[in-house]
């Protein structure tokens, strides 16, 4: 076997593309080198390179300096410049040389992480034995352009001007220059991102990050002179939702029992960014994975709250012991192994238990947020100062109506006002209010049954329909903006459809959205259980890691529908066509091999939402024309269809406003 130097591109640029991820790798190396003080200097809230074609305004630099044991010239050559070597195997131990720290590094590729954001990496290090002159310095400069050749020849770094000089102290400095267009976050955001990547609590370990960009902005709150020390990620938690684990065995009756330490809980408020979302899993003090729900299938009590507010910190040391169960980019665990499956099953059980336990706390917090946004107490006091019973019943109705709302929607003044007015209309109807209370205790989302209850009480349905109409018009308007922009990428379209799958087909049930086929199979089983109250064991899905954009089902029609979306103005390519066709084939094989499902869904369909198919081969274009199971729609067609459907809906709402008797006709 021969390894091309182009591997550097795959292990550096392709794995590490965020500044915080790169800094985490360099800081972790300092930790493994027994450093007690690490100084990071970089410009906060700054694009490190200009847009293409624009002049360079500043020549930025990022430096990471530590007081670790450093390296000699021989160690630089034999260890640092050797890519992909298991450091624990080479040194015959998994602890650091002087402080006995359980080292984080193992794969030997973290040193390439800086090339994910820059093209020049400079290493200045002093280590080994001290003589009367001090510690001898080794200084090298590595240039990405000199590495990226399709050759197996050795790469020789440039020797720096400090090489062979002496320093009074041992340690290492890494300098990064010649950047790609990457954004350094604001100080508070960078602080959260770095804190999320480490779970280290030691008195002999201090990391300070300093802003080098000249700024007239005031110092960050709690960060003197726009600097901060790496600490613990602070997340406000909902009361009575935290569950602690103290070396809790996930397999208590087996050996090894696989202990887990840490906690899980509900966050008090929506996440400030992605690093605070979900449960962070650490091993040896460094992030190994971030999971929103351990892959739990849909349909359990409290699911929405879990996916929106679950947070936690777990330390799982056995993920990186004899067997390395962590992906190379340290963004996820290899869940398909026996130990990975054991952790996943345990995690899902904890998540579901927490969902049940935390549901009332999450609802209470949502109610508090909406009450504050609506100023309900003051308004009711002004409107009915002499009627405390009325004020109480309106507030109770309001609490029920908002209990399962998206907490962020409390910032939408019109939506809050709609719910307030609706509560005022419901409050005088004692029977309806009591029924709403009962429903709120028994169902996951009481608003799902509100319209049915309105038919019974014959009040306020117009407010509810108006709110639905308003929300749908807002989504359609957003789709129109994305399409008219003409440059919209895939992700914003995917996110919009995930929130509003009715854009594609209101009568279909979403089974999977950007989900592995293996998870789609799990969703099938859950759907079947809800429909029949019977458990079913299905056959294995071929290519279980494939991820179609959307999979829908329609039980009455007996249809399965795979939808692949592409960015605006995209020209569909043959490989994309073939890949999506294979998704459909995998699902067809699965259905045929699971007769219980196959009989229920004899119709299978694949749709491409894409603007152009002119680059497809003649055979694939012909297949699009003649196959009853494969079709193409462009984005403007979809928008026109959606517009028409919801114009009809809005006209119906308007007619009901003017003629209430038609609502019950």
């Amino acid at each position: 076997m021969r390894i091309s130097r182009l591997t550097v591109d795959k292990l550096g640029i392709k794995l590490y593309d965020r500044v915080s991820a790169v800094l985490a790798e360099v800081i972790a190396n300092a930790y493994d080198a027994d450093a007690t003080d690490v100084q990071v200097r970089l410009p906060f809230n700054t694009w490190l390179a200009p847009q293409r074609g624009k002049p360079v305004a500043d020549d930025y630099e990022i430096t990471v300096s530590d007081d670790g044991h450093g390296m000699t010239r021989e160690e630089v050559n034999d260890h640092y410049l050797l890519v992909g070597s298991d450091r624990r195997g080479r040194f015959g131990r998994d602890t650091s040389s002087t402080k006995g720290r359980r080292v984080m590094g193992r794969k030997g590729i973290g040193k390439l992480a800086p090339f994910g954001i820059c093209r020049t990496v400079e290493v200045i290090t002093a280590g080994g034995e001290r003589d009367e002159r001090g510690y001898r310095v080794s200084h090298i400069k590595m240039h990405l352009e000199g590495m990226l050749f399709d050759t197996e020849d050795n790469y020789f770094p440039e020797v720096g001007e400090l090489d062979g000089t002496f320093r009074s102290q041992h340690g290492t400095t890494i300098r990064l220059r010649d950047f790609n267009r990457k954004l350094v976050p604001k100080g508070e955001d960078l602080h959260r991102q770095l804190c999320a990547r480490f779970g280290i609590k030691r008195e002999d370990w201090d990391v300070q990050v300093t802003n080098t960009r000249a700024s007239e902005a005031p110092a960050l709150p709690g960060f003197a002179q726009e600097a901060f020390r790496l600490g613990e990620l602070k997340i406000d938690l909902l009361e009575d939702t935290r569950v602690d684990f103290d070396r809790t065995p996930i397999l208590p009756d087996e050996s090894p029992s696989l202990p887990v330490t840490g906690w899980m809980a509900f966050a008090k408020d929506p996440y400030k960014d992605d690093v605070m979302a979900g449960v962070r899993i650490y091993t040896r003090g460094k992030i190994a994975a971030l999971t929103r729900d351990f892959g739990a299938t849909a349909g359990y009590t409290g699911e929405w709250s879990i996916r929106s507010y679950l947070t936690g910190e777990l330390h799982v040391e056995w993920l990186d012991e004899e067997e390395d169960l962590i992906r190379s980019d340290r963004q996820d665990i290899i869940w398909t192994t026996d130990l990975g499956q054991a952790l996943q099953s345990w995690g899902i059980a904890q998540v579901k238990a927490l969902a049940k336990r935390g549901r009332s706390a999450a609802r209470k917090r949502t109610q508090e947020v909406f009450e504050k946004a609506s100023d309900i107490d003051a308004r009711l006091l002004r409107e009915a100062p002499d009627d405390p019973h009325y004020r109480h019943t309106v507030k109770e109705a309001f609490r029920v109506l908002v209990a399962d709302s998206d907490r962020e929607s409390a910032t939408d003044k019109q939506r809050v006002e709609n719910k307030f007015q609706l509560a005022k209309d419901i409050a005088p109807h004692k029977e309806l209010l009591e029924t709403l209370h009962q429903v709120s205790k028994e169902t996951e989302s009481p608003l799902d049954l509100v319209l049915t209850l309105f038919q019974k009480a014959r009040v306020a349905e117009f407010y509810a329909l108006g709110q639905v109409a308003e929300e749908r018009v807002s989504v359609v308007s957003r789709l129109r903006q994305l399409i008219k922009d003409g440059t919209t990428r895939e992700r914003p379209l995917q996110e919009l459809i995930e929130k509003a799958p009715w854009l594609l087909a209101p009568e279909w049930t979403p089974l999977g959205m950007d989900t592995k086929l293996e998870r789609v199979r799990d969703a099938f089983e859950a759907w079947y259980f809800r429909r029949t109250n019977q458990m079913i064991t299905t056959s294995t899905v071929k290519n279980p890691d494939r991820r179609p954009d959307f999979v829908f089902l329609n039980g009455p029609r007996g249809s399965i529908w795979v939808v692949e979306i592409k960015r605006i103005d995209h020209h569909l390519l043959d490989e994309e066509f073939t890949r999506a066709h294979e998704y459909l084939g995998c699902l067809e094989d699965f259905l045929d091999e699971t007769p219980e499902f196959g009989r229920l869904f004899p119709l299978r369909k694949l749709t491409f939402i894409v603007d152009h198919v002119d680059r497809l081969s003649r055979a694939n274009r012909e297949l699009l024309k003649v196959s009853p199971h494969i079709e193409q729609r462009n984005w403007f067609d979809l928008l026109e269809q959606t517009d028409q459907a919801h114009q009809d809906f809005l006209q119906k709402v308007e007619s009901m406003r003017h003629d209430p008797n038609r609502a019950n006709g």
Side-chain angles (χ1 to χ4, degrees):
M1 179 182 290
R2 298 185 302 277
I3 306 297
S4 167
R5 277 207 250 127
L6 288 176
T7 304
V8 171
D9 176 59
K10 312 301 187 293
L11 298 180
I13 298 173
K14 296 298 190 293
L15 289 187
Y16 302 92
D17 64 347
R18 295 183 67 180
V19 171
S20 58
V22 169
L23 291 178
E25 290 299 325
V26 180
I27 292 170
N29 286 342
Y31 179 85
D32 290 350
D34 282 326
T36 59
D37 180 70
V38 181
Q39 297 290 326
V40 182
R41 297 177 58 80
L42 76 167
F44 292 175
N45 195 25
T46 300
W47 286 99
L48 294 172
Q51 292 179 326
R52 184 175 298 178
K54 298 292 182 68
V56 177
D58 294 284
D59 190 14
Y60 293 115
E61 180 176 279
I62 295 177
T63 64
V64 182
S65 301
D66 69 63
D67 62 352
H69 53 58
M71 293 178 285
T72 64
R73 175 190 294 262
E74 291 74 20
E75 288 170 332
V76 170
N77 282 318
D78 294 343
H79 304 307
Y80 186 82
L81 292 177
L82 181 62
V83 174
S85 171
D86 185 337
R87 65 160 291 161
R88 301 177 203 172
R90 287 180 64 82
F91 291 104
R93 63 178 187 275
D94 65 352
T95 55
S96 60
S97 57
T98 57
K99 296 185 178 298
R101 294 173 176 171
R102 302 186 76 229
V103 296
M104 299 175 180
R106 179 170 190 170
K107 302 178 193 299
I109 61 173
K111 69 198 72 172
L112 298 177
F115 289 116
I117 64 170
C118 73
R119 296 182 297 280
T120 299
V121 177
E122 195 171 344
V123 181
I124 305 169
T125 184
E129 296 294 328
R130 177 189 176 100
D131 62 21
E132 67 278 1
R133 295 168 294 180
Y135 295 94
R136 187 182 183 90
V137 173
S138 295
H139 184 187
I140 59 172
K141 300 177 182 179
M142 297 181 288
H143 304 285
L144 186 60
E145 287 81 359
M147 295 181 184
L148 294 185
F149 290 100
D150 193 6
T151 175
E152 298 104 43
D153 293 343
N154 291 330
Y155 169 72
F156 293 92
E158 176 187 350
V159 177
E161 61 276 7
L162 297 178
D163 193 69
T165 61
F166 290 86
R167 278 184 173 181
S168 60
Q169 300 293 328
H170 52 71
T172 299
T173 296
I174 307 292
R175 291 179 181 165
L176 313 183
R177 297 196 308 276
D178 303 327
F179 292 98
N180 305 323
R181 185 166 168 75
K182 301 295 182 181
L183 177 65
V184 179
K186 293 185 294 186
E188 56 187 328
D189 294 335
L190 182 62
H191 181 244
R192 284 198 304 273
Q193 292 171 15
L194 285 177
C195 287
R197 289 186 168 271
F198 294 100
I200 310 169
K201 298 175 183 177
R202 293 179 66 106
E203 293 184 0
D204 63 348
W205 172 244
D206 183 52
V207 179
Q208 178 163 303
V209 182
T210 303
N211 184 14
T212 58
R213 179 180 179 181
S215 173
E216 297 179 0
L220 298 169
F223 301 151
Q225 300 176 351
E226 289 202 321
F228 63 81
R229 279 188 155 77
L230 192 62
E232 188 176 355
L233 185 63
K234 301 294 184 182
I235 302 176
D236 291 332
L237 305 181
L238 268 181
E239 290 182 41
D240 302 323
T241 63
R242 175 162 168 154
V243 179
D244 289 289
F245 308 101
D246 184 9
R247 293 191 59 78
T248 301
I250 70 171
L251 298 175
D253 299 325
E254 298 184 26
S255 181
S257 61
L258 306 181
V260 171
T261 300
W263 57 270
M264 286 195 285
F266 279 173
K268 187 175 183 180
D269 294 306
Y271 309 119
K272 293 183 178 179
D273 58 34
D274 286 345
V275 303
M276 304 175 73
V279 178
R280 290 162 282 118
I281 301 176
Y282 298 92
T283 181
R284 294 173 176 258
K286 189 178 179 185
I287 193 77
L290 180 66
T291 177
R292 294 291 184 105
D293 55 9
F294 288 88
T297 53
Y300 56 89
T301 300
E303 175 186 356
W304 185 86
S305 295
I306 281 292
R307 298 189 192 282
S308 303
Y309 295 97
L310 177 68
T311 188
E313 175 182 320
L314 298 179
H315 295 264
V316 188
E317 299 303 311
W318 43 266
L319 288 172
D320 191 12
E321 297 292 348
E322 289 82 4
E323 188 178 358
D324 184 359
L325 301 178
I326 304 170
R327 262 179 27 187
S328 294
D329 58 358
R330 298 189 77 92
Q331 295 300 303
D332 209 349
I333 291 165
I334 304 174
W335 295 102
T336 53
T337 60
D338 289 342
L339 295 183
Q341 290 286 296
L343 180 61
Q344 184 177 45
S345 298
W346 176 85
I348 289 174
Q350 301 305 317
V351 161
K352 291 183 176 180
L354 181 61
K356 291 179 180 178
R357 215 179 120 203
R359 186 180 176 210
S360 60
R363 283 183 163 189
K364 182 180 178 182
R365 175 59 181 164
T366 299
Q367 290 164 344
E368 291 172 353
V369 170
F370 271 87
E371 286 173 17
K372 182 177 180 181
S374 66
D375 196 22
I376 189 170
D377 287 322
R379 292 179 65 181
L380 289 176
L381 189 60
R382 288 195 298 269
E383 293 179 18
D386 300 323
D387 193 345
H389 176 72
Y390 171 76
R391 297 198 305 269
H392 173 75
T393 54
V394 172
K395 191 170 182 179
E396 286 297 298
F398 184 77
R399 285 175 172 171
V400 172
L401 291 173
V402 303
D404 289 298
S405 297
D406 177 357
R407 210 172 294 166
E408 291 184 352
S409 67
T411 60
D412 186 334
K413 293 182 179 179
Q414 188 57 53
R415 182 175 297 184
V416 173
E417 183 64 20
N418 288 343
K419 292 185 183 295
F420 176 65
Q421 296 298 332
L422 185 55
K424 288 168 63 177
D425 281 295
I426 292 174
H429 299 267
K430 181 179 179 182
E431 180 184 5
L432 176 60
L433 187 57
E434 290 176 352
T435 307
L436 275 176
H437 272 297
Q438 187 61 33
V439 168
S440 71
K441 296 176 183 178
E442 296 176 355
T443 186
E444 176 66 16
S445 180
L447 286 178
D448 290 343
L449 299 182
V450 166
L451 288 179
T452 303
L453 296 173
F454 285 164
Q455 289 178 0
K456 176 181 177 181
R458 297 193 176 186
V459 295
E461 65 262 45
F462 311 129
Y463 287 108
L465 281 172
Q467 184 177 342
V468 172
E470 178 191 4
E471 292 173 351
R472 293 207 167 190
V473 168
S474 174
V475 170
V476 173
S477 298
R478 175 60 177 157
L479 177 62
R480 184 178 293 110
Q481 291 172 358
L482 293 175
I483 291 175
K484 288 186 175 180
D485 177 82
T487 61
T488 302
R489 309 292 292 181
E490 237 170 80
R491 191 61 202 160
L493 295 165
Q494 176 116 17
E495 290 173 347
L496 184 66
I497 295 173
E498 285 179 2
K499 293 177 181 177
W502 48 263
L503 284 168
L504 296 178
E507 72 276 16
W508 292 68
T509 301
L511 199 64
M513 295 183 280
D514 191 26
T515 302
K516 293 180 181 180
L517 289 175
E518 182 65 22
R519 299 280 173 82
V520 173
R521 184 187 78 153
D522 294 340
F524 258 120
E525 294 179 357
W527 174 86
Y528 188 83
F529 180 77
R530 289 195 300 273
R531 182 177 182 273
T532 66
N533 203 32
Q534 295 178 359
M535 299 293 293
I536 184 173
T537 302
T538 60
S539 62
T540 303
V541 179
K542 295 177 182 177
N543 300 318
D545 291 333
R546 294 289 182 88
R547 304 173 75 103
D549 288 339
F550 297 94
V551 178
F552 296 89
L553 61 81
N554 186 310
R557 293 186 182 179
S559 301
I560 291 291
W561 187 21
V562 176
V563 181
E564 282 292 297
I565 68 170
K566 299 299 175 187
R567 66 179 182 271
I568 304 300
D569 205 31
H570 179 67
H571 295 256
L572 189 65
L573 302 177
D574 282 317
E575 54 265 32
E576 296 169 333
F577 183 93
T578 301
R579 183 165 58 246
H581 199 212
E582 288 175 353
Y583 296 158
L584 181 62
C586 289
L587 284 173
E588 287 183 322
D589 291 343
F590 164 70
L591 290 169
D592 292 341
E593 293 169 10
T594 310
E596 294 90 335
F597 285 155
R599 287 192 295 270
L600 292 173
F601 300 101
L603 304 177
R604 295 87 188 255
K605 177 182 175 184
L606 168 64
T607 297
F608 293 95
I609 310 294
V610 64
D611 288 329
H612 309 287
V613 295
D614 54 302
R615 295 183 185 173
L616 290 179
S617 66
R618 179 179 297 179
N620 283 337
R621 289 201 304 272
E622 187 64 24
L623 187 58
L624 265 178
K625 290 180 182 178
V626 303
S627 174
H629 306 297
I630 308 175
E631 67 170 355
Q632 175 229 350
R633 296 188 202 170
N634 64 47
W635 284 104
F636 281 101
D637 287 343
L638 179 66
L639 179 61
E640 183 178 350
Q641 172 189 322
T642 305
D643 260 338
Q644 184 60 49
H646 290 86
Q647 282 301 319
D648 294 344
F649 174 71
L650 291 176
Q651 289 172 8
K652 182 176 180 181
V653 171
E654 191 62 25
S655 67
M656 289 173 63
R657 287 182 185 277
H658 290 96
D659 184 5
N661 291 326
R662 294 184 62 182
N664 301 309

